[in-house]
Amino acid sequence: MSSLVAVLVDGVAYGMLLFLSAVGLSVTLGLMRFINLAHGAFAMVGAYLAVVVVGAGLPFLLALPLVFVVVGIFGIAIERTAIRYLYRRSALEQVLFSIGLAFALGALANLIFGPQQQGILTPAWLTGRVALLGLEITSYRLFLIAMGAATAIALIYLFEHTLFGARIRAAVDNRRAAEGIGIQVERLFALTFGLGAALAGLGGALSVEMLGLDPAFALKYLTMLLMVVAIGGAGSIEGSLLAALGLGTVDALFKYLLPEAGGFVIFGLLVAVLLVKPAGLKGRVA
Amino acid sequence: MSALNPISHGGLSKPALSFNPITPLIFAALIASYFLFPNHLALATQILVLMIFALSYDLLQGHAGIVSLGHAVFLGLGAYGSAILARWGFTDPLFGLMAGASISALVALVLSPIVVRGSDFTRLLVTLGVASLIHEAANRMRDLTGGADGLADFEVAPLLGLFAFDFEGRTAFLYALIVFAFVYAALWRVTTSPFGLALRGIRENPRRMPAIGSPVARHLAVSYLLSGAIAGVGGALLAQTSRFASLDMLGFERSAEIVMVVTLGGTGHIAGVSIGAAAFGLVKDALSTVSPRYWQLGLGIVLMASVFLARGGIGGLIERFCRFGRRA
């Protein structure tokens, strides 16, 4: 019984990791309507950056905000130079551009760091175990759960209760009217895209410990992130949280109870949800 | 899709569907390569398979307007289908082609209800999800598919009982060339038929087509089925000529690759897509012998640039060239 609870904690921690990485994609996909298949690549950039700066001696906890800011700036730079011209183009062109970006970044990582797996040094207090309610839980898992919960609350607050959030929603619903009342949509979109990239980078940095890191990371991870967004419904923070936690726990449970089923259950779940609810659990109907 | 997207357009009025002078040139070049590069027939055969695969995906994306990130599934199913049947003793190559086509068509039939409905975004996700599912299934069923090692222990009987597959790959090349010619002709016929025009109509304006009595969902389902079947033929051909079937034949990278090939070739333009696939296959072979890393980097850069620069792809260039020739 207690091992089942431990598996569930594992699943929730994995789910929070997925949420952290996927929520930025949900925002670009759902609110900005840009199909960003390079999102996993942003996560990869964050992961490599974290490995490098932690390797150079920066404390893990300081590396995280650094990664957040640097990948965010990188995202804004890409948005300003290329992506802003693609908002009005077809889904296919967005797919092509972003896959191209993902391939190029993956190849660059391969050139710079080589094809081997990278590890990250996490501080001792994160690798230990904590006794909680009679259970031994890795403190890294607890840390992930806390990070995920804090990010979810912050994002829901940002999008639902601040002027920034209101402006974003206005700009998405009616760009022309939003511009008409003086909202600087261009700047708003650049910032939002940067926020999405920054979150991806943070998620990537946090995932090195659990998932490992190599140049194939960008595309491997992307499938999982797209599934979170698809099941949760693009553009909904709560949806992403629900879907990520659901996927995480289902994945952990089946790995524990029925290992042969493997990835099957997850993908089966995706197809089932999309059959019943094509827009996802909490999706806005386009 | 709005009229602002020339990449996804062949355009209804453009002569993209007409039998243009490029077609005989393509076949002349293919036949010539048999005599000019007798030592590279294996590569040429692989390129023919890529051309068939590209044409099959072009029917879907270029004509019906359905984007998919999982088309390699049908290539892989065809490859595994024919390889597994050959292991069971059904070694006749033509039978293998039929079987590959049937298996892929069957799976496409099952999937078509999910793919036909929904927006571009849900289609991308569903096709990606289903592809991951099938990839995982193939990986799990080690007894049947050989898992990560792939299948290599199967025989292929002589073609028509007469022409054995030789080490130089001459039979394989000519066989692939004939299959390609059939696929090319069949797709040319299909896309210029009323059905093909209806597909283009649906792609241009899915809301208006039902109003003129066009059964949109059924047309899209048929195109998906047909496209899957042709990809299955390509897969069977690939397995037979390379004596190998493996997981990467139905992996995500192949699916992503074919989206690029078709777009660079010029969606909706059969000759352009064929040339694009051939060029892609050659460049990929040349670059990946240098370094697979540089290949991926170059690929990424070309892709990003193509969205901004090469509108209409190679097919678009051909059209412009032909129009220029006519005017002069």
Side-chain angles (χ1 to χ4, degrees), chain A residues 89 92 96 110 267 275 278, chain B residues 61 117 122 133 263 293 311:
Chain A
R89 299 277 197 92
L92 179 67
L96 279 173
N110 200 332
F267 297 120
L275 267 178
Chain B
Q61 182 191 298
R117 55 193 249 180
T122 43
L133 205 85
T263 307
R293 301 175 193 181
R311 307 201 116 204

Side-chain angles (χ1 to χ4, degrees), chain A residues 31-263:
Chain A
L31 292 182
M32 300 169 68
R33 304 279 152 82
F34 180 76
I35 301 188
N36 182 17
L37 297 190
H39 194 77
F42 289 143
M44 185 194 69
V45 171
Y48 273 109
L49 187 62
V51 168
V52 168
V53 295
V54 170
L58 194 73
F60 187 70
L61 278 190
L62 285 183
L64 295 179
L66 178 81
V67 164
F68 186 85
V69 170
V70 173
V71 180
I73 292 171
F74 177 63
I76 291 176
I78 301 257
E79 199 271 351
R80 288 287 82 190
T81 47
I83 285 168
R84 65 167 158 157
Y85 303 107
L86 300 177
Y87 290 130
R88 288 159 199 265
R89 299 277 197 92
S90 67
L92 179 67
E93 287 168 284
Q94 298 179 351
V95 163
L96 279 173
F97 179 84
S98 54
I99 282 198
L101 184 59
F103 270 116
L105 287 174
L108 273 180
N110 200 332
L111 281 172
I112 300 171
F113 298 99
Q116 70 274 18
Q117 281 277 335
Q118 304 283 334
I120 192 164
L121 272 175
T122 34
W125 60 271
L126 273 179
T127 48
R129 286 170 175 274
V130 190
L132 196 76
L133 308 169
L135 275 174
E136 290 259 303
I137 297 165
T138 328
S139 37
Y140 196 74
R141 305 264 190 286
L142 288 180
F143 178 65
L144 285 180
I145 294 173
M147 284 288 289
T151 309
I153 292 167
L155 284 178
I156 289 172
Y157 181 77
L158 179 70
F159 282 106
E160 308 284 331
H161 302 287
T162 64
L163 194 57
F164 176 78
R167 282 180 173 155
I168 285 279
R169 279 177 283 130
V172 167
D173 285 340
N174 192 334
R175 182 169 178 146
R176 215 174 276 171
E179 274 166 349
I181 57 165
I183 295 175
Q184 289 183 301
V185 176
E186 287 252 320
R187 206 173 63 187
L188 206 58
F189 269 31
L191 275 177
T192 312
F193 193 86
L195 177 67
L199 286 164
L202 181 67
L206 285 168
S207 63
V208 181
E209 171 80 16
M210 267 183 95
L211 305 174
L213 173 64
D214 63 54
F217 185 85
L219 293 179
K220 242 189 322 192
Y221 209 32
L222 177 70
T223 321
M224 211 56 196
L225 302 185
L226 280 171
M227 283 205 301
V228 171
V229 176
I231 292 181
S236 159
I237 313 277
E238 294 97 328
S240 296
L241 185 63
L242 265 176
L245 290 178
L247 279 178
T249 41
V250 168
D251 190 51
L253 262 183
F254 273 90
K255 270 188 186 139
Y256 175 66
L257 297 172
L258 201 70
E260 313 87 60

